[in-house]
């Protein structure tokens, strides 16, 4: 099993994400990560998902997704040249005594303090 990144272009309609999630749960597939956003065309949304599968299961997932009515396009982005990052926003309460310590920890993790 390995991780694959799928980009799915869908019609921006109520219930599309629920149908995709239902497809995955009904067949015992697991979604490791999921991000959804409207595109520059407000009638469409892009779903980016990470799935753990073998090649055969990946092909089955793509075929099942393409059968759904509101799916426009399914792409395997795994082999594309891209940058993969995680984003975490953490709110930490600090005072004048702990601020320097928190900033040192943030710097050691190559993170950024926003405010």
């Amino acid at each position: 099993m390995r991780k694959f990144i799928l980009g799915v272009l869908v019609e921006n309609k109520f219930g599309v994400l629920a149908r995709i999630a239902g497809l995955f749960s009904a067949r015992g597939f697991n979604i490791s990560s999921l991000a959804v956003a409207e595109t520059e065309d407000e009638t469409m949304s892009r779903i980016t998902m990470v799935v753990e599968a073998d090649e055969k299961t990946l092909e089955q997932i793509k075929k099942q997704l393409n059968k759904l009515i509101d799916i426009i396009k399914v792409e395997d982005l795994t082999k594309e040249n891209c940058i993969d990052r995680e984003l975490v926003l953490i709110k930490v309460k600090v005072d004048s005594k702990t601020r320097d310590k928190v900033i040192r920890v943030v710097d050691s993790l190559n993170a950024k303090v926003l405010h």
Side-chain angles (χ1 to χ4, degrees):
M1 292 268 223
R2 59 182 264 230
K3 290 187 178 190
F4 294 93
I5 304 168
L6 295 179
V8 185
L9 193 61
V10 300
E11 292 183 25
N12 190 11
K13 292 183 179 176
F14 176 79
V16 173
L17 184 58
R19 283 191 285 286
I20 291 172
L23 178 146
F24 273 75
S25 67
R27 287 161 183 77
F29 302 145
N30 189 36
I31 300 172
S32 299
S33 176
L34 180 70
V36 183
E38 195 175 86
T39 64
E40 57 276 353
D41 178 352
E42 63 186 36
T43 65
M44 294 187 285
S45 290
R46 173 168 298 281
I47 299 173
T48 305
M49 64 177 73
V50 178
V51 297
E52 286 191 42
D54 55 30
E55 294 284 341
K56 182 179 175 185
T57 304
L58 177 67
E59 287 307 313
Q60 189 178 16
I61 289 170
K62 291 193 304 190
K63 286 178 185 176
Q64 292 295 322
L65 284 170
N66 278 312
K67 286 182 183 180
L68 293 177
I69 294 170
D70 298 317
I71 303 290
I72 298 167
K73 185 177 182 180
V74 178
E75 292 180 277
D76 182 0
L77 303 174
T78 310
K79 296 175 184 164
E80 297 292 323
N81 215 0
C82 65
I83 297 171
D84 183 10
R85 293 194 176 179
E86 295 283 339
L87 174 67
V88 178
L89 295 174
I90 301 172
K91 186 174 181 178
V92 180
K93 186 174 181 176
V94 296
D95 56 27
S96 59
K97 296 177 186 173
T98 58
R99 188 174 194 287
D100 289 336
K101 186 174 182 181
V102 170
I103 290 174
R104 279 195 303 274
V105 170
V106 168
D107 287 343
S108 73
L109 299 171
N110 292 324
K112 293 181 184 177
V113 174
L114 297 179
H115 178 68

